[in-house]
Amino acid sequence: MKIIAYGIRDDERPYLEEWSQDQGIEVKAVSELLDESTVDLAKGYDGAVVYQQKPYTAAVLDRLAADGITNLSLRNVGVDNVDADAVKRNGFKVTNVPAYSPEAIAEFTVSQLMQLLRRAPTFARKQAHGDLRWAPDIADELNSMTVGVVATGRIGRAAMKIYQGFGAKVIAYDVFHNPELEKQGIYVDTLDELYAQADVISLHAPATKDNNHMLNDESFGKMKDGVWILNPARGALIDTDALIRALDSGKVAGAALDVYEDEVGIFNADFGSFDAIPDERLKNLLKRENVLVSPHIAFYTRTAVKNMVQFALNNNKQLIETGKAENEVAF
Ligand code: NAD
């Protein structure tokens, strides 16, 4: 059995080599992404492991199938950039890694909130200029707050545990109710109820066609004055212009954003200087001391990267050996 792995970064390579040695299976790692210029590198392999934001086009998948490779294992969750018709037409088996470390995202989200509540960016700026005074930057305490968790999937539930550990009251909204949480009486029936009660709103829902810009002028209007907004989920959940208006008016006290609706091509790129970042709206947010923008790094831990690589390789091995895998995605 031989597997090719595309788009392998330096931080992934040790985990790939560890798996290859443990399993005694040859894995060829290439740094290039899978596209029309690199697809022929897969000739002679039994399966391919991949991860990219760039589309897996029909042309690429047709060529891969023509070369005899129809076992494709993604190292991430989302499969929206995979051409579904080409998958079905060529009989591809596709797997993803549905959960690599929900705790990584949950821990990051809460730590960002704590930075905001304790005015950490402001104190860092003051201290860099020799100003060691306290006032006027008085902080808030999480233990006396109500946190509204939107979506109680793996990440939402991991975040809830941490909020509860801090002593916060947690309420939640989800289109699907988790039976265990239902018993604890944590759910509210509508988003409007959550908006009305929450001091902190923690978003953990996937982006769907129904929740695009769910936080907009109207929903901000339904929230408490001075609410804190956390979005480590998907940029499309927030109307960025409406958020900027709500920050300007003070309706929103602050926000931690690990995602941004126009992040593709901007996050995980080096522009050389702050001024060269080619997005004025993003720079507006980045300049604010009550907003923490991070470039989609909540998942980026050693544990998560190891799991993304090794779970995907396990999936690919299962496909090659049995034609099935537990993380197979239906198209
Ligand atoms: P999950 O599949 O375990 O849970 C998703 C939950 O969202 C489910 O309970 C579902 O019922 C609920 N849901 C779906 N649509 C909803 C809606 N319109 N309103 C309310 N709830 C809704 O997913 P997860 O592993 O917890 O991941 C959640 C999201 O986090 C992902 O979809 C992804 O967008 C994001 N994410 C971000 C990072 C990062 O690095 N920042 C990493 C991984 C995932």
Side-chain angles (χ1 to χ4, degrees), residues 18 120 227:
E18 180 187 77
V227 64

Side-chain angles (χ1 to χ4, degrees), residues 271-320:
F271 296 99
S273 73
F274 183 86
D275 289 344
I277 297 171
D279 187 314
E280 293 309 314
R281 225 166 42 153
L282 183 63
K283 282 194 279 198
N284 174 324
L285 291 167
L286 279 162
K287 281 182 194 156
R288 294 170 188 254
E289 284 182 3
N290 58 343
V291 177
L292 289 173
V293 178
S294 48
H296 210 136
I297 53 170
F299 83 98
Y300 191 52
T301 66
R302 292 181 217 278
T303 305
V305 170
K306 176 179 177 171
N307 289 345
M308 291 168 95
V309 168
Q310 298 193 347
F311 292 177
L313 285 164
N314 285 335
N315 289 337
N316 209 247
K317 178 180 172 229
Q318 270 183 29
L319 286 180
I320 295 165

